[in-house]
């Protein structure tokens, strides 16, 4: 590994102002939003074109320099952290919406565009890109495709993998290729694009993508309901689905979340005997709404829901949603000196009651506070673990709790990561999940990594270890 | 000397509460103009923290702090409620005073 020659060659293919080498600025690339150990890169390169990405990666492959793609750096599992003296490829300068094509129902976009920026542009055309991670103000198209991101609208619209038609990808050997198609249907051999989506920057660097877009819903009605028992709230989700409803969102907030929000937002109140709250958005044609609401209210009452409120008025909808929007800030502000680790597991919706109970038992076993909310329409729970970063025993409990939550999800037929990814923090849990589902898959994954990246230079040590 | 003063500033604004969510960077006009993280609020906050830990900043990073417009857009979106603009403003004052000495 001859770094001096690599550096000289890099400066031949990209101009000097796109190469960062000063220590303070490099340190800004040493972390993401997770508790994973930080590491300072040797260099940061900010390419502006696919060609520059390709030239830089060719050099990294030739000089065997590990290289880590990086975008919003909002990851929660250490995916963009440059371990072992890696170089960071910062893709935030590739930030143009290239084409909105309503006839062919796609948007062609560079990867450094943030999801909220993309949706602001699409809204001007009456359309949207449905995957909506809670970090959408800061999360980019590239980071979201690489992380396989999803969000509240997942129950109805799935995650990013369901919304990408094709993408320009620079392989770890430096060749740029176009994977997938621009068309909705695509059977061009093996589906390599699906391998790259969710690969967390280990199989290729995405530089631009053709994303499917959807017309904005004609009308949305928001319902809010409380439950005296979390298990009833979880059961309600199953009943909603069994009755054929596919709500736009079904957000679950446990009592801990409501308590935290009421401590932070004075106007927020909730019935003292309630243990859980659901916020449900129904979308559809305006004339069908009354009928939808009537059946939904019936289902919710049948499941033990009370104080049911619904509205189609924008301000009122915002007021109801405040409980969810304020949840993360409430945790950050109320538990001073502590940190919040948003965990991410999924179980089949029918197993939500057991999962919610299980989270309670794990919290008491380790004596750490866990506040849970989640996009429960698709069985996705975010148990937020509150820990003290300056207390070693609290940090080690954090990892034990994280592990037990993952193992519980596996036991209930779920998965250890729904949308945040594996990074470095969940590699062990991934192995545990594959042990149940067939460990031979780990061998296949390692082989796939070697085929894509024979020199193991692209984001090495993330998702899986190859040796 | 300057490190001690920066340390006080980090404590005053509890900067280490930063959850590194990066929500602030997306509303920052100076980051939008240059796409360099030293010109964004998350970067500036962490440069101040690094300064307090005795890590030197070079002239580019120094400019990164000085170029903050104090528009406070970042404060509005910070889920941790950090007074980002005020912290950067105080850090700028410290740096300039120190340079004049
Ligand atoms: C408060 C908070 C809430 C969150 N909520 C959600 C949520 O609801 N749902 C959800 O899914 N996630 C959530 N996340 C996690 C994270 O924000 C998302 O996964 C996001 O999509 C990552 O995008 P990014 O631009 O920040 O990517 P980064 O963090 O920069 O990178 C993500 C991964 O992709 C790789 N990468 C980045 N760009 C590229 C590229 N162009 N080509 C190839 N590889 C690349 C990186 O190496 C890294 O491994 C949350 C995070 C925070 C802090
Ligand atoms: S106050 Fe400074 S850091 Fe904050 S958004 Fe404005 S320019 Fe950016
Ligand atoms: S918004 Fe606040 S908590 Fe998030 S990165 Fe910026 S300063 Fe840190």
């Amino acid at each position: 590994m001859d770094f001096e020659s690599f550096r000289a060659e890099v400066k031949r293919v990209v101009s000097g102002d796109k190469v960062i080498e000063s220590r303070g600025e490099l340190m800004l690339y040493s972390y993401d939003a997770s508790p994973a150990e930080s590491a300072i890169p040797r260099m940061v390169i900010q390419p502006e074109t696919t060609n520059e990405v390709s030239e830089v990666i060719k050099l990294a492959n030739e000089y065997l320099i590990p290289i880590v793609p990086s975008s919003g750096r909002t990851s929660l599992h250490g995916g963009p952290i440059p371990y072992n003296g890696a170089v960071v490829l910062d893709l935030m300068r590739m930030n143009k919406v290239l084409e909105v094509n309503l006839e062919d129902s796609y948007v062609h976009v560079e990867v450094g565009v943030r999801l909220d920026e993309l949706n602001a542009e699409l809204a001007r055309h009456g359309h949207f890109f449905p995957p909506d991670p809670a970090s959408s103000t800061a999360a980019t198209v590239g980071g979201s495709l690489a992380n396989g991101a999803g969000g509240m609208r997942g129950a109805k619209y799935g995650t990013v993998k369901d919304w990408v038609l094709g993408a320009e990808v620079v392989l770890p050997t430096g060749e740029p290729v176009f994977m997938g198609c621009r068309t909705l249907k695509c059977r061009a051999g093996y589906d390599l694009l699906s391998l790259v989506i969710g690969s967390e920057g280990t199989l290729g660097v995405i530089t631009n993508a053709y994303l499917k877009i959807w017309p904005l819903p004609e009308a949305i009605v928001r319902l809010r309901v409380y439950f005296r028992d979390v298990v009833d709230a979880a059961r309600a989700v199953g009943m909603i689905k069994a009755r054929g409803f596919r709500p736009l969102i079904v957000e679950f907030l446990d009592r801990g979340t409501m308590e935290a929000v009421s401590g932070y937002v004075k106007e927020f109140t909730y019935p003292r005997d309630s243990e859980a709250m659901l916020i449900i958005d129904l979308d559809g044609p305006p004339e069908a709404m009354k009928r939808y609401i009537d059946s939904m209210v019936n289902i919710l009452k049948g499941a033990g829901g009370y104080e049911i409120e619904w509205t189609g008025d924008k301000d009122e909808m915002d007021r109801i949603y405040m409980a969810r929007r304020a949840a993360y800030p409430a945790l950050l502000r109320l538990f001073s000196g502590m940190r919040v680790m948003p965990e991410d597991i999924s179980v089949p919706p029918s197993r939500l009651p057991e999962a919610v109970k299980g989270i309670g038992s794990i919290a008491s076993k380790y004596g750490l506070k866990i506040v849970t909310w989640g996009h429960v329409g698709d069985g996705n729970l975010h148990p937020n673990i509150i820990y003290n970063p300056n207390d070693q025993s609290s940090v080690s409990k954090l990892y034990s709790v994280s592990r037990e939550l993952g193992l519980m999800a596996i036991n209930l037929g779920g998965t250890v990561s729904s949308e945040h990814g594996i990074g470095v923090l969940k590699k062990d849990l991934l192995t545990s999940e594959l042990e149940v589902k067939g460990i031979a898959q780990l061998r296949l994954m390692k082989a796939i990594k070697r085929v894509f990246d024979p020199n193991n230079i692209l984001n090495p040590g993330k998702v899986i270890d190859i040796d | 000397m300057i490190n001690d003063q920066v340390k006080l500033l980090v404590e005053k604004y509890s900067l280490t509460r930063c959850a590194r969510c990066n929500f602030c960077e997306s509303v920052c006009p100076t980051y939008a103009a240059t796409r360099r993280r030293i010109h964004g609020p998350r970067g500036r906050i962490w440069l101040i923290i690094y300064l307090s830990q005795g890590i030197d900043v070079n002239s580019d990073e120094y400019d990164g702090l000085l170029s903050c417009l104090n528009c406070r857009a970042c404060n509005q979106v910070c889920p941790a409620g950090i007074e980002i603009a005020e912290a950067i403003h105080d850090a700028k004052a410290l740096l300039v005073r120190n340079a004049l000495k």
Side-chain angles (χ1 to χ4, degrees):
Chain A
M1 178 158 99
D2 174 4
F3 199 79
E4 284 316 311
S5 310
F6 171 76
R7 169 189 285 126
E9 295 261 10
V10 163
K11 290 188 175 169
R12 261 196 285 278
V13 297
V14 294
S15 58
D17 62 330
K18 296 176 188 167
V19 179
I20 295 166
E21 292 192 276
S22 72
R23 189 171 162 85
E25 194 165 0
L26 290 178
M27 286 175 80
L28 304 180
Y29 291 83
S30 64
Y31 51 77
D32 60 5
S34 79
E37 200 179 323
S38 58
I40 304 172
R42 285 184 84 162
M43 175 190 268
V44 173
I45 304 166
Q46 298 189 294
E48 275 181 59
T49 62
T50 301
N51 189 45
E52 286 181 343
V53 172
S54 159
E55 292 299 322
V56 167
I57 293 190
K58 272 184 203 153
L59 291 173
N61 190 42
E62 183 185 332
Y63 288 94
L64 304 180
I65 308 289
I67 189 157
V68 179
S70 158
S71 298
R73 303 191 73 81
T74 64
S75 280
L76 290 167
H77 292 107
I81 300 182
Y83 294 109
N84 302 318
V87 164
V88 163
L89 201 58
D90 175 356
L91 298 147
M92 293 301 288
R93 287 200 187 191
M94 303 185 75
N95 60 339
K96 286 191 261 323
V97 177
L98 300 169
E99 182 195 3
V100 179
N101 189 323
L102 300 183
E103 244 173 80
D104 294 342
S105 306
Y106 68 68
V107 57
H108 184 202
V109 63
E110 289 186 331
V111 283
V113 173
R114 302 182 186 96
L115 294 180
D116 279 2
E117 293 164 345
L118 175 66
N119 270 325
E121 175 62 24
L122 291 174
R124 300 202 305 123
H125 303 273
H127 280 65
F128 75 124
F129 174 68
D132 56 342
S135 51
S136 59
T137 42
T140 64
V141 167
S144 301
L145 293 180
N147 259 6
M152 291 194 299
R153 299 193 280 242
K156 184 154 196 143
Y157 292 113
T159 64
V160 288
K161 73 174 188 316
D162 305 303
W163 292 89
V164 53
L165 299 169
E168 188 154 38
V169 177
V170 177
L171 299 175
T173 40
E175 301 113 305
V177 296
F178 184 85
M179 290 182 179
C181 301
R182 284 183 203 191
T183 49
L184 276 178
K185 292 181 178 162
C186 181
R187 286 292 298 110
Y190 292 146
D191 185 357
L192 298 179
L193 181 63
S194 288
L195 278 177
V196 170
I197 304 306
S199 71
E200 303 182 30
T202 62
L203 299 182
V205 177
I206 310 162
T207 57
N208 58 75
Y210 286 83
L211 305 174
K212 261 195 280 186
I213 55 177
W214 207 249
L216 283 165
E218 276 185 69
I220 299 179
V221 169
R222 182 162 292 162
L223 291 97
R224 188 229 47 218
V225 54
Y226 296 101
F227 293 87
R228 288 187 186 84
D229 190 337
V230 270
V231 173
D232 287 343
R235 208 157 45 87
V237 178
M239 289 165 70
I240 291 168
K241 302 200 89 175
R243 288 279 291 273
F245 275 105
R246 292 294 177 270
L248 192 57
I249 67 169
V250 185
E251 286 293 293
F252 164 89
L253 288 77
D254 74 354
R255 189 183 175 88
T257 309
M258 292 189 283
E259 266 168 17
V261 173
S262 72
Y264 165 50
V265 184
K266 296 291 166 257
E267 312 85 79
F268 176 74
T269 54
Y270 61 99
R272 289 295 141 184
D273 61 346
S274 71
E275 287 293 328
M277 168 179 176
L278 291 181
I279 299 174
I280 302 167
D281 277 7
L282 297 172
D283 64 330
E287 54 283 7
M289 281 302 171
K290 169 92 180 61
R291 186 163 48 85
Y292 287 178
I293 295 161
D294 288 347
S295 341
M296 188 59 79
V297 169
N298 271 334
I299 299 172
L300 296 172
K301 279 187 181 155
Y306 65 106
E307 287 206 20
I308 303 172
E309 185 188 341
W310 58 267
T311 177
D313 176 78
K314 182 145 182 354
D315 291 341
E316 283 297 292
M317 281 169 53
D318 278 352
R319 185 183 54 77
I320 291 179
Y321 190 67
M322 180 182 58
R324 175 64 183 86
R325 191 176 33 245
Y328 182 61
L331 295 191
L332 293 185
R333 291 171 200 225
L334 289 183
F335 298 96
S336 77
M338 307 293 270
R339 277 197 190 280
V340 180
M341 172 64 191
E343 258 304 335
D344 171 43
I345 54 170
S346 267
V347 298
S350 60
R351 310 297 295 271
L352 278 169
E354 290 155 271
V356 167
K357 266 195 190 159
I359 294 170
S361 317
I362 295 170
S364 347
K365 176 171 165 193
Y366 288 95
L368 284 194
K369 189 163 179 65
I370 301 185
V371 172
T372 303
W373 59 73
H375 324 307
V376 287
D378 52 14
N380 184 184
L381 288 168
H382 292 306
N384 292 274
I385 312 166
I386 319 253
Y387 69 101
N388 181 348
N390 302 315
D391 169 3
Q392 205 36 54
S393 102
S394 177
V395 174
S396 75
K397 279 183 192 163
L398 162 75
Y399 289 120
S400 304
V401 167
S402 216
R403 176 146 186 88
E404 289 217 15
L405 289 170
L407 294 177
M408 175 189 74
I410 298 172
N411 284 335
L412 294 174
T415 182
V416 300
S417 176
S418 326
E419 43 182 38
H420 294 174
I422 302 297
V424 289
L425 294 181
K426 283 200 168 172
K427 286 193 284 188
D428 287 352
L429 275 173
L430 173 65
T431 306
S432 304
E433 183 167 338
L434 295 178
E435 272 162 2
V436 173
K437 293 178 165 173
I439 195 68
Q441 295 179 89
L442 193 56
R443 190 185 74 232
L444 293 181
M445 287 183 194
K446 289 180 183 183
I448 288 167
K449 170 71 176 164
R450 286 195 198 99
V451 169
F452 271 76
D453 185 6
N455 292 323
N456 196 23
I457 54 130
L458 195 63
N459 214 359
K462 310 294 166 60
V463 188
I464 51 167
D465 289 310
I466 58 162
D467 8 72
Chain B
M1 175 64 180
I2 173 114
N3 290 349
D4 289 339
Q5 287 168 325
V6 181
K7 254 183 217 156
L8 288 176
L9 195 155
V10 168
E11 274 166 35
K12 174 177 171 198
Y13 290 100
S14 312
L15 294 189
T16 52
R17 274 183 303 155
C18 171
R20 305 192 287 215
C21 65
N22 216 13
F23 292 2
C24 51
E25 200 176 79
S26 51
V27 296
C28 175
T30 51
Y31 178 78
T34 67
R35 295 248 154 188
R36 291 269 298 268
R37 295 211 140 110
I38 46 170
H39 297 142
R42 179 169 76 168
R44 289 174 175 134
I45 290 286
W46 283 88
L47 282 177
I48 297 170
I49 296 173
Y50 297 147
L51 259 175
S52 79
Q53 294 167 347
I55 294 159
D56 276 341
V57 297
N58 75 0
S59 61
D60 261 9
E61 292 146 9
Y62 191 91
D63 286 350
L65 285 168
L66 291 191
S67 64
C68 168
L69 304 173
N70 200 26
C71 69
R72 301 182 181 194
C74 47
N75 290 15
Q76 306 297 319
V77 297
C78 176
I82 299 174
E83 293 179 299
I84 307 169
E86 288 74 7
I88 298 169
H89 175 269
D90 286 9
K92 275 161 78 167
L94 271 180
L95 288 176
V96 171
R97 227 177 292 141
N98 195 55
L100 291 179
K101 273 187 207 156

